[in-house]
Amino acid sequence: MDTLWPAHGIDSVDPCDFEAIFGRSAPLVVEIGFGNGETLAQLASDQPQVNFIGIEVHRPGVAQLLLQLKERELTNVRIFCADAVEILTHCIADESLSGVNLFFPDPWPKKRHHKRRLVNPDFLNLLARKLKCGGFFHAATDWEDYARHMMNVLEQCDRLENVAGRTKFSPRPAHRALTKFERRGQKLGHGVWDLIFSRRADL
Ligand SMILES: C[S@@+](CC[C@H](N)C(=O)[O-])C[C@H]1O[C@@H](n2cnc3c(N)ncnc32)[C@H](O)[C@@H]1O
């Protein structure tokens, strides 16, 4: 099975059988918008017991991740080069994911562009549907306004619960390696906000 899926024909695809694709049964974790793939490759290397799916629209980033997977001989990652909402909707079964990572999503800082932000109530409902009970959603951003926006919409999503306690940001977990955008933000003196929510079992 190829590591990379093409972006075509997604409408006609049934949810993927990831056990067959990876050739084993293992927890499934998705990273949306992995950029150059550095953090995803590191996580895959640190957690060989986990099957990872990367979703990224930017083809050069996909190529960079493919190279890293080859160089590091990592076999526990598959990649979709396509829009994350399309992939979650059509290719990923409900209640199948152990976790979703979204590190430094495009912040769309101008008010008139806020509607382009990936994290909104519809996106969170879709994501909550795909998570298993107890599965996690981990977002991080260096853009305070987006962090507060994410906190607001996440706190309003009935099926997700803040691991840190209501309206609290989480400490940065040790397993989250620095990303390219995070390093860029650090150079500019930006702060970083981590939000970790879990799929509630009772809803
Ligand atoms: C600001 S960059 C952050 C990249 C990386 N996570 C990092 O921290 O270095 C946001 C990434 O999300 C990708 N992206 C934006 N919208 C997306 C979508 N709907 N589906 C998949 N990837 C998306 C972009 O192509 C870009 O690589």
Side-chain angles (χ1 to χ4, degrees):
M1 172 58 69
D2 289 339
T3 304
L4 176 66
W5 277 283
H8 316 292
I10 285 167
D11 285 355
S12 60
V13 173
D14 288 329
C16 298
D17 178 352
F18 288 106
E19 263 187 51
I21 286 164
F22 282 95
R24 66 175 187 171
S25 169
L28 199 56
V29 172
V30 167
E31 182 173 338
I32 294 172
F34 56 73
N36 67 8
E38 220 181 328
T39 309
L40 179 49
Q42 190 57 49
L43 267 179
S45 170
D46 293 344
Q47 299 178 9
Q49 75 285 4
V50 173
N51 289 339
F52 287 93
I53 300 169
I55 312 175
E56 173 57 63
V57 285
H58 187 57
R59 293 172 72 91
V62 169
Q64 287 183 55
L65 177 57
L66 284 169
L67 266 177
Q68 294 171 77
L69 297 181
K70 192 165 181 220
E71 277 167 20
R72 301 171 72 164
E73 298 182 355
L74 295 169
T75 57
N76 58 334
V77 182
R78 299 292 183 276
I79 304 170
F80 285 101
C81 183
D83 174 70
V85 172
E86 292 289 307
I87 297 302
L88 285 171
T89 304
H90 297 290
C91 305
I92 295 188
D94 289 354
E95 297 184 31
S96 64
L97 299 178
S98 296
V100 176
N101 290 320
L102 177 68
F103 299 145
F104 304 88
D106 294 317
W108 297 108
K110 290 184 182 151
K111 197 157 187 179
R112 68 175 187 277
H113 292 152
H114 282 184
K115 56 183 179 296
R116 297 185 191 174
R117 287 174 167 174
L118 194 56
V119 178
N120 62 44
D122 286 345
F123 172 77
L124 291 179
N125 282 329
L126 172 65
L127 186 137
R129 215 169 69 222
K130 302 296 162 179
L131 287 174
K132 289 180 174 177
C133 290
F136 69 84
F137 173 54
H138 182 180
T141 182
D142 62 344
W143 202 264
E144 185 170 4
D145 174 66
Y146 198 13
R148 302 212 177 278
H149 164 83
M150 287 198 274
M151 183 61 83
N152 284 339
V153 284
L154 276 159
E155 290 287 2
Q156 283 166 34
C157 183
D158 289 344
R159 288 192 279 179
L160 297 173
E161 185 169 37
N162 193 338
V163 167
R166 248 188 102 64
T167 73
K168 290 200 165 62
F169 292 97
S170 287
R172 174 216 175 85
H175 65 256
R176 183 170 72 67
L178 278 183
T179 79
K180 180 180 166 191
F181 272 76
E182 185 170 15
R183 276 196 297 271
R184 202 180 69 171
Q186 280 180 340
K187 281 188 195 145
L188 295 169
H190 292 184
V192 171
W193 292 266
D194 282 83
L195 301 93
I196 305 180
F197 279 66
S198 147
R199 170 75 164 80
R200 288 169 65 138
D202 53 341
L203 284 171

